[in-house]
Amino acid sequence: MFLVGLSGGIASGKSTVVAVLRELGCAVIDADVIARLVVQPHSKAHQQILQHFGTEILLENGEINREALGSIIFSQPEKRRLLNSITHPEILKEMLKQILKYFVLGYRYVILDIPLLFETRGLTRLMKYTVLVYCDPPTQLARLMKRSGLGVAEAEARISSQLPLEEKRRWATHVIDNSGDWESTRRQVLQLHTRLEDSLDFLWARLVVGTAVAGLGGLVFLLIRHFIS
């Protein structure tokens, strides 16, 4: 089994691509979902965050107010690094657990949906392939304005706060161009899925595991036969 990193940019259409991949039965691990999961009340990360940031960042139901916490770390880089040091190990552990689950279930590859994949360059080294969901700048701006109700200046500011898609494109091994209609994007996802399914990168690992399982099964059979006789 191998890992495929998936990323995009604001309003580039990554959620559309993920929906198609899930429809195809692909194993997709969403880093954003895990990030919310590991800071749920009574979790280790939740307790550590309260120790360092105080109870002022809590909602009435005990969950962390992401907007309040975000406003703190946005203006204070040292606080952002502290939060990352708390959450990233827990996120990684949960991702590894899910990767192991899919390996045991026999999936040929697992897609890791990571918004900051290309910004966090160390993560790309763990991926066999990296996929960028791309759209051209005018389309990205128009979609963001329509989706969020923002003006041109506000939308441009949000886009410029991220690494440009053109730069990410140079680092990706595969690009899904989502500048067109849904059918065009779907065809590209189907083509990518076919290429990944046909890849032989997983073969040696499966042969090793298969040989080990067969050997263990043979040993168990011999032991049972010995005790029966």
Side-chain angles (χ1 to χ4, degrees), residues 10-137:
I10 187 170
S12 69
K14 183 165 62 66
S15 59
T16 299
V17 171
V18 169
V20 177
L21 289 168
R22 291 189 186 278
E23 177 189 326
L24 292 170
C26 298
V28 181
I29 299 175
D30 189 327
D32 271 349
V33 171
I34 292 177
R36 290 191 289 270
L37 176 67
V38 300
V39 297
Q40 288 298 303
H42 310 300
S43 67
K44 178 182 176 181
H46 185 274
Q47 295 170 2
Q48 291 179 330
I49 290 172
L50 292 187
Q51 290 174 5
H52 293 284
F53 293 89
T55 56
E56 295 80 9
I57 61 168
L58 288 181
L59 296 169
E60 291 185 1
N61 61 2
E63 294 184 0
I64 291 174
N65 186 330
R66 294 169 65 87
E67 291 187 3
L69 183 58
S71 64
I72 294 174
I73 65 173
F74 181 78
S75 58
Q76 301 181 61
E78 71 281 0
K79 293 287 188 179
R80 183 165 60 250
R81 288 191 291 270
L82 173 60
L83 179 65
N84 289 342
S85 71
I86 294 171
T87 58
H88 284 185
E90 299 303 311
I91 293 172
L92 181 59
K93 282 195 292 187
E94 182 60 31
M95 291 180 78
L96 289 174
K97 284 167 57 178
Q98 293 194 25
I99 289 170
L100 179 60
K101 176 189 73 175
Y102 287 122
F103 176 76
V104 172
L105 290 174
Y107 281 79
R108 295 186 175 185
Y109 65 93
V110 173
I111 297 169
L112 302 181
D113 178 358
I114 305 174
L116 299 179
L117 174 65
F118 295 104
E119 286 84 347
T120 313
R121 295 291 291 159
L123 285 176
T124 58
R125 292 195 293 268
L126 303 177
M127 311 297 164
K128 181 64 182 177
Y129 303 110
T130 54
V131 181
L132 174 69
V133 182
Y134 171 87
C135 68
D136 59 71

Side-chain angles (χ1 to χ4, degrees), residues 16-17 19-20 23 143 178 180-187:
T16 299
V17 171
V20 177
E23 177 189 326
R143 286 176 178 169
N178 190 39
D181 58 22
W182 183 82
E183 283 297 335
S184 173
T185 299
R186 180 178 172 80
R187 283 196 299 271

Side-chain angles (χ1 to χ4, degrees), residues 1 102-109 201-213:
M1 188 182 74
Y102 287 122
F103 176 76
V104 172
L105 290 174
Y107 281 79
R108 295 186 175 185
Y109 65 93
D201 290 319
F202 69 95
L203 184 58
W204 287 110
R206 286 189 176 278
L207 286 174
V208 170
V209 173
T211 301
V213 171

